[in-house]
Amino acid sequence: MDRVVLMLSVMSLGVSSQPITDGQRLFSIAVSRVQHLHLLAQRLFSDFESSLQTEEQPQLNKIFLQDFCNCDYIISPIDKHETQRSSVLKLLSISYRLVESWEFPSRSLSGGSAPRNQISPKLSELKTGIHLLIRANEDGAEIFPDRSALQLAPYGNYYQSLGTDESLRRTYELLACFKKDMHKVETYLTVAKCRLSPEANCTL
């Protein structure tokens, strides 16, 4: 991780003099990181669904559709059109908040397999990279005006003593929300990266 942080820091030094070239490099690293996390989230969710009994999956799907993810409290574009209209700085700020909000819940996704144990360190690397991108692109505006708003509670009662059925439901929700939020961050960072190439078509 230290090597990644050092590499990102060195590259960020030249952003002001060569914003497109160095900015694209920073974005490429961040997009690569979140793509890996999104694929990992999809894999974990798919593996979990495969482990369920035949009658459990429809029940969990029904329950989850009535629920919502904690990160839905973070205001973000409601559709692809609003995403395309959002500024690079706004997309970076939302991405940072989403990644940061998973630092604590992600601990419950660790353990049991090598892929699961990659989640927390890779989230930390991604958060560092997005922070560098924000610093490189901000114009003096306060990006994080209300830090208290970002201190989200753990997902539901996940960390309390749970029965078997409740634990199953919470695990399902946690994995589904993680997959959903990593998809959001991947979309936002990809669009923001595309903005640095004026000739590119950034249509979603």
Side-chain angles (χ1 to χ4, degrees):
M1 177 181 170
D2 291 339
R3 187 177 66 175
V4 173
V5 173
L6 177 60
M7 180 173 63
L8 286 169
S9 300
V10 170
M11 287 192 296
S12 70
L13 295 177
V15 169
S16 60
S17 60
Q18 300 178 28
I20 293 180
T21 301
D22 291 337
Q24 284 284 18
R25 288 179 187 169
L26 284 167
F27 268 112
S28 293
I29 293 172
V31 170
S32 176
R33 289 278 183 268
V34 73
Q35 284 175 341
H36 181 83
L37 278 166
H38 185 209
L39 287 173
L40 184 57
Q42 289 177 317
R43 175 182 169 185
L44 292 174
F45 185 70
S46 177
D47 289 347
F48 181 77
E49 281 194 314
S50 298
S51 71
L52 297 174
Q53 300 295 326
T54 305
E55 68 278 5
E56 289 175 332
Q57 186 171 334
Q59 294 174 355
L60 288 170
N61 274 325
K62 184 177 179 181
I63 292 172
F64 182 71
L65 289 175
Q66 298 172 356
D67 227 335
F68 56 89
C69 298
N70 263 24
C71 292
D72 290 342
Y73 285 113
I74 298 175
I75 299 175
S76 58
I78 59 174
D79 54 31
K80 63 181 181 180
H81 302 295
E82 187 176 342
T83 298
Q84 291 174 324
R85 291 194 299 267
S86 299
S87 68
V88 168
L89 207 53
K90 180 178 180 180
L91 294 173
L92 288 172
S93 176
I94 296 170
S95 296
Y96 185 93
R97 295 178 182 193
L98 285 168
V99 171
E100 185 179 51
S101 72
W102 274 100
E103 284 189 304
F104 183 69
S106 69
R107 299 174 192 173
S108 293
L109 296 174
S110 301
S113 67
R116 283 177 174 266
N117 292 328
Q118 294 177 22
I119 295 175
S120 290
K122 288 190 177 298
L123 279 171
S124 181
E125 290 173 1
L126 180 59
K127 178 184 172 183
T128 298
I130 295 175
H131 184 245
L132 287 170
L133 284 166
I134 289 173
R135 288 173 55 190
N137 285 274
E138 66 185 347
D139 55 4
E142 179 57 60
I143 296 300
F144 309 116
D146 184 8
R147 298 293 298 179
S148 62
L150 305 184
Q151 303 303 312
L152 301 180
Y155 277 70
N157 296 321
Y158 189 81
Y159 298 98
Q160 295 181 11
S161 176
L162 302 171
T164 303
D165 293 341
E166 185 71 3
S167 178
L168 191 69
R169 183 172 78 89
R170 292 303 181 187
T171 299
Y172 184 86
E173 290 182 353
L174 200 66
L175 289 170
C177 287
F178 183 60
K179 180 167 71 81
K180 172 185 173 182
D181 290 338
M182 290 305 101
H183 179 253
K184 280 185 179 181
V185 176
E186 181 181 0
T187 299
Y188 299 155
L189 292 184
T190 299
V191 171
K193 176 179 181 290
C194 187
R195 296 278 178 78
L196 294 182
S197 301
E199 71 281 1
N201 181 0
C202 300
T203 303
L204 292 173

